[in-house]
Amino acid sequence: MDCYHIEGGVPLCGEYRVKGAKNSVLPILAAAVACPGIHEINDCPLIDDVFVMEEILNSLGASTSFDRHCLTVDTGNIENTVVSSLMMSRMRSSVFLMGSLLARCGEATVHRPGGCRIGRRPIDIHIEGLRQMGFKVEFFDDEIRCSGRCRGGRVRLPYPSVGATENLMMAALSSQEETVIENCALEPEIADLQGFMRNCGFDVAGAGTGTITVRGPAGSITGGKGPARRDTMYFIVEDRIEAATYMAAVLATGGRAVFRNIRAGLMESVLQVFERMGAKIRTFADIIEIASPAELQSPGIVVTAPFPGFPTDCQPQLLTLCTAARGLSTIREEVFESRFTHKKELAKMGANIEICGKNAIIRGSTPLHGETVSAADLRGGAALVLAGLSAEGKTIIRDIHHIDRGYENFDKGLTQLGGVIERRKSD
Ligand code: UD1
């Protein structure tokens, strides 16, 4: 088990190129199963969740190889339609294999997925959606067996779940009829999945709006032959959450930096909050320049919401940032049940945060001091790194395997901006 050793108090300055999006590449890799062929996925982040997805694809019969940030996946042979409970427990995105295996093979056996412990995270919307589309879904203890084909027609999500939208888009490929999915999530990663599916030759439209229409390919499993073979090449959309995390690190340390490969349109709600805190922001094409004010101000009340609202995946980082901001800040978590996992660790470092139900009330600014703390989940872990970078003295962060799931070489990226952070083996 590795940990991070951080010497805080150095303003982060310089330039950083944002990587491909974790939340985009995972459903896209699953979708590659739905289309037999060789898929070259470019700008693929080198993160543990991708490596787990690679293992899952290999276990199904696909072969994969990396050349720097290009992951090539050959899904010509898919022999297995069972995703083991071990694989499923390692990552929530394994749930996408339900949709893509149904599209490709007409059957899928999965297990209850793992992932960050930030609330109950049921998959009832996925299951109910599949049933409404005509699939048979049965539970045997932890095992979920799905089979059949999509009958087309309309399905309406009770909540715009990102994962359920993506899973149902893939499952709908098993029908030659048109399927209309309503009340879809609007996240940019869904439009990216649509882009990949179109590259595969599938007829998908509407991503980015609440209504997505999918028409399965001619010769889909209804015809018994399975989808047609097609080789593709695709570039993953940039990671707006990674960008926001690094920007928050710059602001937490009083620095300034230029970010490349990130379009402001993907993260307007976050940039607006940073501006309310006093950040000076300039944007041009896919470049964002951010500079800290002399003193950060409270952003007032920030409420997390589905896109285009303030992303729940940036909430923990904002919590850290608010400890350095003058005044009273309130962050209301409306997407997940228990996502203030790092509050206790921040309090050890000197933060003044009170949790009242869905609200975190932060009294700032409080100077943080170095401590030994533990990451409990991906974004909460990143938020502790931000705290360590802004704190006075030395911070040690344990359990950084949570952070490795979603940030490629986080320590190296921060070092590139002048941060003093080192990865070491735990004692
Ligand atoms: C995706 C992102 C995750 C992000 C989240 C919200 C990926 C790989 N992960 O997760 O980083 O935090 O969107 O932006 O893209 N829910 C149900 N039943 C369901 C599905 C969801 O009750 O069947 C609830 C969840 O418990 C949660 C809310 O809906 O409270 C949002 O979940 P969802 O949008 O599905 O998030 P994920 O797809 O899991």
Side-chain angles (χ1 to χ4, degrees), residues 199-253:
N199 253 13
C200 292
F202 299 134
D203 188 355
V204 190
T209 74
T211 304
I212 296 177
T213 307
V214 182
R215 189 185 288 275
S220 70
I221 56 159
T222 50
K225 294 196 293 279
R229 195 192 152 84
R230 184 134 166 179
D231 297 341
T232 67
M233 186 183 143
Y234 199 71
F235 284 83
I236 297 294
V237 73
E238 64 265 34
D239 196 325
R240 61 197 169 97
I241 309 297
E242 191 208 27
T245 305
Y246 274 89
M247 288 177 191
V250 167
L251 294 177
T253 58

Side-chain angles (χ1 to χ4, degrees), residues 4 12-13 64 79 96 98 139 158 165 172 201 207 230 295 333:
Y4 282 142
L12 296 192
C13 295
T64 55
E79 298 140 358
F96 296 133
M98 265 198 291
F139 286 82
T165 301
R230 184 134 166 179
E295 187 184 27
E333 175 55 62

Side-chain angles (χ1 to χ4, degrees), residues 116-128:
C116 278
R117 291 194 194 93
I118 49 180
R120 283 183 308 121
R121 303 193 81 178
I123 53 167
D124 55 318
I125 303 175
H126 301 238
I127 303 294
E128 201 37 51

